[in-house]
Amino acid sequence: MKPFGISITALALCAGSTGVWAADGVSFNYKNWEVVCDNTLTCRAAGYGPEEGSGGSVLLIREAGPGTAVQGRVMLADIEENDSPETVELTLFIDNQTMGTVAPGPDGDWELTQPQTDALIGAVKGSGAVEFRGGKAPFILSGEGANAVMLKIDDVQGRVNTPGALIKKGNKPENSVPAAPAKPVIVAAATLDAPEKPLDDQQTAVIRPLLQASTRADDCERLYPDQENPPEAISLTPLDDKHVLLSTLCWRAAYNEGYGYWVMDAALKGKPQQVTYSGTSYLKGIIDMAQKGRGLGDCWGNESWVWDGKKFQLSSSYTTGMCRYLRAGGTWVLPTFVTDVKKADNAL
């Protein structure tokens, strides 16, 4: 069983490991900075204050490809301070010199201008002091870890030794920087509008051994009842005329629980096709996973799978950044995997 149901990447960001490489993205953190790059090589670097719960966070976003600019955003802590763009006029200071006010953004954050972003990057790369004033308490951005994280962006996006590199600049032509890979396309199929229902005892006696045969006890311990854990109900939801979705509780921890989901033919014959052991919900052709990184609920790991008529395909995967006690529900959306989901012609 995965601890608390969160992917290795999400746990690494909360635990403070040095880096995780995966087929669906790159995650790396060092001291008070982290970066997550998705499968299109868009990289999002988040910087924080020197202590947990201090001030807020800055997000630097850079898409892959030659000549792309870095976009900067700011989020203030709201667990205790309750600051928002509606109540705060935020001003950026670098080395105690004003760089102007920061405009409110669309998601309860603030958006830096290009000159502000460039100045902030220059400051954290060196020994400059970056501070945001206007909230109930100043937000002092730590520069510790910034260079390592920005060098990782250069490396992942193929910018090392080019003029546009953030850290390791050089004379290699800018047009040598690889273009961004395209998002995978998923065509979401129509599903039946049918309710979930529990299997009866006779069906359960047939289905449980089939699920067990395709599942390790470590991944779905509740599928293997014992004296401490009585049998969990197995539910069935029709997907279409040929397929059904089976689900049951797989594990329960201190502040998370995970459900297993399998696709099977409507006649309940054949081998079940496992989707996940850490799901949290299913609705209209989409299985979602949302798991806390810790009990405070200030950092999360999320994944979604979309039904394409034959199987559930992973459609998104993201974390919300380090566990720094800044915002309930997490501070940012940092994807490791993104797709372009299109509806089939017969989908509602």
Side-chain angles (χ1 to χ4, degrees):
M1 181 184 71
K2 295 177 182 177
F4 312 112
I6 299 180
S7 68
I8 294 173
T9 299
L11 283 173
L13 292 176
C14 290
S17 77
T18 54
V20 173
W21 289 77
D24 58 355
V26 176
S27 298
F28 171 82
N29 62 5
Y30 185 61
K31 296 186 178 180
N32 294 317
W33 280 76
E34 66 180 315
V35 61
V36 178
C37 302
D38 64 32
N39 51 307
T40 70
L41 300 186
T42 293
C43 294
R44 296 167 175 86
Y48 302 88
E51 303 292 338
E52 180 175 326
S54 59
S57 177
V58 164
L59 184 67
L60 303 177
I61 307 169
R62 192 173 201 182
E63 295 180 354
T68 59
V70 181
Q71 306 164 33
R73 297 168 61 187
V74 184
M75 189 81 78
L76 295 184
D78 76 347
I79 290 179
E80 295 179 350
E81 298 301 331
N82 201 29
D83 289 333
S84 70
E86 290 77 24
T87 61
V88 170
E89 183 176 276
L90 198 63
T91 303
L92 169 62
F93 286 80
I94 294 180
D95 293 329
N96 217 29
Q97 300 295 313
T98 180
M99 295 294 297
T101 58
V102 186
D107 301 315
D109 60 357
W110 289 260
E111 295 182 333
L112 299 172
T113 64
Q114 197 62 58
Q116 288 174 332
T117 301
D118 294 341
L120 182 147
I121 291 172
V124 297
K125 282 166 53 176
S127 57
V130 178
E131 185 176 357
F132 294 89
R133 302 175 188 172
K136 292 183 176 63
F139 165 33
I140 299 173
L141 176 65
S142 171
E144 293 189 354
N147 278 27
V149 160
M150 285 190 273
L151 181 59
K152 179 64 71 175
I153 295 176
D154 289 343
D155 182 33
V156 169
Q157 296 185 336
R159 301 184 190 277
V160 174
N161 293 325
T162 66
L166 294 173
I167 299 296
K168 198 171 182 181
K169 296 181 181 292
N171 296 322
K172 191 176 177 181
E174 183 69 16
N175 60 14
S176 67
V177 176
K183 291 182 183 179
V185 175
I186 299 175
V187 179
T191 55
L192 296 174
D193 186 11
E196 176 186 73
K197 59 182 181 180
L199 298 181
D200 60 33
D201 292 344
Q202 183 177 358
Q203 291 172 319
T204 299
V206 174
I207 294 302
R208 189 181 300 278
L210 295 178
L211 297 184
Q212 290 174 337
S214 66
T215 306
R216 297 189 313 153
D218 287 347
D219 292 324
C220 189
E221 61 185 21
R222 294 299 187 99
L223 189 59
Y224 296 81
D226 54 31
Q227 291 182 347
E228 294 182 0
N229 298 307
E232 298 287 347
I234 300 174
S235 296
L236 179 151
T237 305
L239 291 171
D240 54 33
D241 292 338
K242 297 181 179 180
H243 303 90
V244 297
L245 183 66
L246 301 172
S247 64
T248 189
L249 179 67
C250 274
W251 56 266
R252 181 170 283 136
Y255 42 83
N256 286 315
E257 62 182 15
Y259 285 80
Y261 288 89
W262 297 260
V263 175
M264 200 168 181
D265 65 80
L268 299 182
K269 296 180 180 179
K271 184 178 179 180
Q273 180 186 46
Q274 180 264 334
V275 182
T276 180
Y277 302 120
S278 297
T280 48
S281 65
Y282 166 78
L283 182 65
K284 296 181 179 179
I286 299 175
I287 296 172
D288 285 314
M289 181 209 82
Q291 305 287 355
K292 294 180 183 180
R294 62 181 182 177
L296 293 173
D298 59 335
C299 48
W300 291 74
N302 299 73
E303 291 185 339
S304 294
W305 296 261
V306 172
W307 176 246
D308 69 0
K310 295 182 179 180
K311 62 181 180 180
F312 280 91
Q313 292 197 51
L314 181 68
S315 59
S316 70
S317 179
Y318 68 91
T319 71
T320 62
M322 289 184 183
C323 306
R324 299 298 288 256
Y325 196 62
L326 296 179
R327 294 210 159 210
T331 308
W332 302 110
V333 174
L334 306 178
T336 54
F337 189 75
V338 296
T339 62
D340 183 8
V341 178
K342 301 180 182 296
K343 290 186 178 180
D345 293 340
N346 63 339
L348 298 178

